[in-house]
Amino acid sequence: MKIAVASGKGGTGKTFVSTNLANVASKAVRVALYDLDVDEPNCHLFFNRDHEAVETVKTMIPVVDGEKCLHCGTCSDVCEFHAIVSLPTDVLVFPELCHSCYGCLEMCPEEAITEGFKDIGTITVSEHRSMTLVTGKLRIGQPATTALVRATKDEADTNVDVTFYDSPPGTSCPVIEVVKDVDYVILVGEPTRFGLHDLDLMVQTLKQLDRHFGVIINKAAEQNHLLEDYCREQEIDVIVRIPERSDIAVAYARGELVTETMPELEELFGRTFKRLRQITVGSAHE
Ligand code: SF4
Ligand code: SF4
């Protein structure tokens, strides 16, 4: 069972939900939590970790052989990222702009371009009780978010019952990379006008991708039914409402798992996990 936890925008409580769901699930089954918010991963702040292993992730950058190059300009023309520029006497490569698409290698008529490599970030694997935490961290300034998300997902722990993906915020390519092959997507939304606007963008994206999803309403206030009304209109399942409480916000800011320190929230996340198992088993038989 693979579940992505996503949101249309940052700050809705996506990491709060994914860390506490993974924690509560790890008390019953073997769990892997992947922090794929590679620009600023922070799931690791909530866990005591053992056996930490770090590997560097590399992607391709072109290397030009000056002896073979005839300065025809084809590589400049095919590179939509302006990462390679052919000059009358030289070819310049800008690694920080290169998206490793291989376009210039394939199109060079002189076969003057070969593969070099650059570091784009790291993947850290650690253990927390019966949970494996896999964290992708992008090097500052690298335009390789999607590539690192893919590489982190490929760090597959097949010996688990449930995998949670903590997705980057938004609706762009890295998020599509996260949700494209999961069994279910949890959208974490907050009941504000901004929250609804960005949640709707994500809902439309997931509908286009034909993904199975539901909504967790975070910071839910008693009298505010903005998201419930929206979900009813759109026929979207509301999985659970997490109340807006200052003690929850304080615990999160301290880096505490509320499923360890607040029994009623442990119970709420436990119920949520059971519900997710029922939903995903049900959808597997559809
Ligand atoms: S496409 Fe090849 S031959 Fe042409 S300028 Fe680029 S590296 Fe040189
Ligand atoms: S690999 Fe792609 S992005 Fe990088 S320089 Fe070549 S064409 Fe541009």
Side-chain angles (χ1 to χ4, degrees), residues 14-16 18-19 33 35-47 49 133 135-136 166 252 255:
K14 179 176 57 60
T15 299
F16 169 71
S18 55
T19 51
L33 171 61
D35 194 343
L36 302 177
D37 192 356
V38 299
D39 285 308
E40 42 184 334
N42 51 15
C43 289
H44 61 284
L45 300 174
F46 296 86
F47 299 99
R49 302 169 315 278
L133 177 63
T135 303
D166 187 37
Y252 183 74

Side-chain angles (χ1 to χ4, degrees), residues 193-222:
R193 291 274 165 207
F194 288 126
L196 178 57
H197 173 266
D198 293 335
L199 182 79
D200 183 54
L201 290 176
M202 195 61 202
V203 165
Q204 302 317 320
T205 304
L206 292 176
K207 283 184 174 174
Q208 281 192 18
L209 294 170
D210 200 20
R211 296 286 79 201
H212 195 199
F213 65 94
V215 167
I216 287 183
I217 302 176
N218 192 27
K219 305 173 194 170
E222 202 59 49

Side-chain angles (χ1 to χ4, degrees), residues 60-62 75-76 78-85 92-95 97-106 113 118:
M60 190 284 295
I61 53 165
C75 51
S76 298
V78 298
C79 183
E80 58 182 296
F81 304 104
H82 309 293
I84 187 164
V85 177
L92 303 179
V93 176
F94 300 94
L97 299 180
C98 177
H99 283 56
S100 309
C101 74
Y102 283 82
C104 55
L105 271 85
E106 286 168 13
I113 307 178
K118 65 171 177 175

Side-chain angles (χ1 to χ4, degrees), residues 41-115:
N42 51 15
C43 289
H44 61 284
L45 300 174
F46 296 86
F47 299 99
N48 298 319
R49 302 169 315 278
D50 292 325
H51 310 300
E52 209 160 73
V54 185
E55 73 174 83
T56 302
V57 182
K58 298 176 188 293
T59 57
M60 190 284 295
I61 53 165
V63 176
V64 179
D65 182 341
E67 299 289 310
K68 290 185 178 175
C69 175
L70 297 181
H71 309 285
C72 67
T74 303
C75 51
S76 298
D77 294 342
V78 298
C79 183
E80 58 182 296
F81 304 104
H82 309 293
I84 187 164
V85 177
S86 171
L87 302 172
T89 56
D90 203 359
V91 176
L92 303 179
V93 176
F94 300 94
E96 60 283 358
L97 299 180
C98 177
H99 283 56
S100 309
C101 74
Y102 283 82
C104 55
L105 271 85
E106 286 168 13
M107 298 306 291
C108 174
E110 305 302 323
E111 298 185 355
I113 307 178
T114 54
E115 292 177 89

Side-chain angles (χ1 to χ4, degrees), residues 4 6 11 20 46 48 50 89 100 110 128-130 154 168 171 176 184 202 213 225 227 229-230 236 250 252 257 283:
N20 280 289
F46 296 86
N48 298 319
D50 292 325
T89 56
S100 309
E110 305 302 323
H128 168 79
R129 292 199 309 233
S130 65
D154 285 348
T171 55
I176 309 301
Y184 193 76
M202 195 61 202
F213 65 94
H225 300 292
L227 288 196
D229 293 345
Y230 168 81
I236 299 168
V250 168
Y252 183 74
L257 291 165
S283 64

